[in-house]
Amino acid sequence: SSSGSGSGSGLEYESKAPTATSDRECSPVKDCGADEFQSKAPTATSDRECSPVKTCGPDEFESEAPTATSDRVCTPVQTCKSTQYESKAPTATSDRKCKALTNCVLGDTYETEAPTSTSDRVCSPVTTCGPNEKETQAPTLTSDRVCGAGCSDLNAVFVVEGAVSQSQADALKRAASILSSHGVDISAVGVGRNVDERLLGDIDGAYDLVSRASEIASTVDTCSD
């Protein structure tokens, strides 16, 4: 005979063995609850054992869902390296995804947007100087190339065909000397006497050249023309 009430599954196990003077006692097999799993299966003489399903921590995700007979498996969420950014945030059931940061190429591209923990670095093409321009500031990994007026343009400004007096001619020669020391080629400097003032257009032009020479020459230090 048997005693005890049945479980939802209707299974029973022998909870007390029979003796010469007593009958076998049977008990219903326990059912695990909604937040439990079967950690040990019932036998003919033992009840089912149930254990609480594990809860993943804040820095873990569920890599394997629990079943009736197995626990939930939790895995640590990966941390992106310093050379990576988070391309997809972790969820309760998925890991964080990391991607390698884009690297700018010195001389070809430079950083226009810095990376964050959740966004990639943005690189833009380095400016190419035009045919009448010179590089006045070299590009870096975080700044663009800066271009300025080329030497050939500046040379043309200082080509003088004549001078009205020896003093003005001397002034032009001094201007030419300063400019030449900075790589500017002066192709012609007038040194004649008693030349029509109109050739200069401005009687003070030669002296103005001297006063401006150092300032202008400093902008073409890198010129090689």
Side-chain angles (χ1 to χ4, degrees), residues 127-140:
T127 296
T128 300
C129 296
N132 294 322
E133 293 181 315
K134 288 290 179 179
E135 179 185 279
T136 57
Q137 185 173 312
T140 68

Side-chain angles (χ1 to χ4, degrees), residues 2-214:
S2 62
S3 64
S5 59
S7 68
S9 62
L11 297 176
E12 293 182 321
Y13 70 98
E14 180 184 278
S15 53
K16 188 173 182 181
T19 66
T21 58
S22 65
D23 196 4
R24 172 184 291 112
E25 292 186 11
C26 296
S27 298
V29 171
K30 176 170 60 177
D31 288 329
C32 296
D35 295 326
E36 296 179 317
F37 71 98
Q38 176 183 284
S39 52
K40 189 174 182 180
T43 67
T45 56
S46 65
D47 196 5
R48 171 183 288 118
E49 292 184 14
C50 300
S51 297
V53 171
K54 181 191 299 182
T55 299
C56 296
D59 296 324
E60 297 177 316
F61 70 98
E62 179 187 278
S63 52
E64 290 185 33
T67 68
T69 57
S70 65
D71 196 5
R72 173 182 287 115
V73 177
C74 299
T75 301
V77 172
Q78 72 166 318
T79 300
C80 296
K81 299 175 183 177
S82 60
T83 55
Q84 298 175 317
Y85 70 99
E86 179 186 279
S87 57
K88 189 173 182 181
T91 67
T93 56
S94 65
D95 197 5
R96 172 184 288 115
K97 290 187 177 180
C98 301
K99 281 188 177 181
L101 287 170
T102 297
N103 290 318
C104 301
V105 180
L106 183 63
D108 291 334
T109 56
Y110 70 102
E111 180 183 284
T112 49
E113 286 186 33
T116 68
S117 60
T118 56
S119 66
D120 195 10
R121 174 184 289 112
V122 177
C123 298
S124 297
V126 168
T127 296
T128 300
C129 296
N132 294 322
E133 293 181 315
K134 288 290 179 179
E135 179 185 279
T136 57
Q137 185 173 312
T140 68
L141 288 175
T142 55
S143 65
D144 195 7
R145 172 182 288 116
V146 178
C147 301
C151 297
S152 58
D153 293 339
L154 289 172
N155 287 344
V157 174
F158 294 99
V159 174
V160 180
E161 298 299 335
V164 297
S165 68
Q166 186 62 51
S167 61
Q168 287 187 339
D170 290 341
L172 288 169
K173 289 167 71 175
R174 288 196 297 275
S177 176
I178 294 172
L179 291 167
S180 294
S181 70
H182 286 80
V184 179
D185 178 27
I186 304 302
S187 61
V189 176
V191 294
R193 299 172 184 270
N194 303 317
V195 179
D196 190 332
E197 294 179 0
R198 288 174 296 181
L199 289 174
L200 285 179
D202 179 357
I203 195 169
D204 295 321
Y207 296 105
D208 183 52
L209 280 180
V210 173
S211 64
R212 293 172 55 203
S214 295

